[in-house]
Amino acid sequence: MSLCRLIYSSYAKPNLEYHDLRAIMEASERNNKQDGITGMLCYGDSMFLQILEGDRRAVSHTYHRIAADNRHYAPELIECSPIEGRLFTAWAMRAVNLIDLAADRGKHLILKYSGSMTFKPAAMSPSQCLNFMQELHELQQMENPASL
Ligand code: FAD
């Protein structure tokens, strides 16, 4: 098995609602567990940033399925590279809505890794995206270990 990590960003469809995010999460948890895929999905300022880790073929199939989903558009591949090990082993897929983080923590994290407080993952480098997601992962675990 050849492990890889794929990072992409996309624009959420206009008027994406909470139930859309829930449906995405439910399908992700169900499918990713079965396919051995782990990672993280972040939503903020009408944009998605997602990391998928797992067997290269499984990650590739999943990405193509996701890219065809009309709940978002203009997916942009930020990185796809071989890895020695996973960084997000605990979750089949955890979604974080930046607006749910307390005390503007999401905004501060965005500012740490980009030029403004607006979440624009397509303007971030692969390592900025990865560091951002790792810190978000830690923040989310501290703040809200069991939620969406
Ligand atoms: P189904 O059981 O067919 O559908 C699950 C639910 O989603 C149902 O309520 C269905 O009505 C609804 N749904 C399915 N497709 C669409 C659509 N195109 N438009 C509107 N509603 C729809 N899937 C994963 O497996 N893993 C992921 O990590 C993952 N990440 C995603 C990230 C983003 C940003 C988006 C937008 C989607 C993601 N998805 C992910 C969902 C993926 O695009 C497919 O919808 C899903 O994999 C289909 O799986 P299924 O056939 O088991 O779902």
Side-chain angles (χ1 to χ4, degrees):
M1 184 200 283
S2 180
L3 270 183
C4 81
R5 177 182 305 119
L6 184 151
I7 307 176
Y8 77 89
S9 69
S10 63
Y11 295 83
K13 74 166 186 183
N15 307 320
L16 187 89
E17 291 186 15
Y18 188 75
H19 72 82
D20 292 314
L21 285 174
R22 282 232 64 104
I24 289 168
M25 274 315 297
E26 280 161 20
S28 301
E29 275 176 22
R30 189 175 59 245
N31 296 333
N32 294 355
K33 206 170 273 181
Q34 206 172 308
D35 298 337
I37 289 177
T38 52
M40 190 153 160
L41 175 65
C42 174
Y43 172 72
D45 293 325
S46 300
M47 295 222 53
F48 287 110
L49 174 64
Q50 187 170 27
I51 294 183
L52 300 167
E53 296 176 331
D55 172 60
R56 189 172 57 213
R57 181 173 290 184
V59 167
S60 178
H61 283 168
T62 300
Y63 175 68
H64 286 296
R65 193 169 68 241
I66 294 171
D69 193 316
N70 59 11
R71 289 169 289 190
H72 65 163
Y73 62 96
E76 184 174 330
L77 208 50
I78 294 172
E79 185 178 56
C80 185
S81 48
I83 50 171
E84 290 302 315
R86 298 171 195 251
L87 290 172
F88 302 93
T89 50
W91 297 322
M93 187 56 59
R94 169 60 68 103
V96 178
N97 189 342
L98 289 174
I99 214 160
D100 290 340
L101 294 173
D104 274 344
R105 288 208 175 94
K107 290 284 176 199
H108 291 129
L109 200 53
I110 293 165
L111 189 62
K112 180 171 177 184
Y113 290 109
S114 47
S116 75
M117 278 195 180
T118 306
F119 186 49
K120 286 186 193 152
M124 290 158 69
S125 70
S127 61
Q128 285 170 332
C129 290
L130 195 56
N131 291 335
F132 172 82
M133 291 294 248
Q134 279 190 280
E135 284 198 40
L136 194 58
H137 173 173
E138 286 160 19
L139 207 56
Q140 171 75 0
Q141 272 188 319
M142 275 186 327
E143 277 196 11
N144 213 351
S147 75
L148 169 78

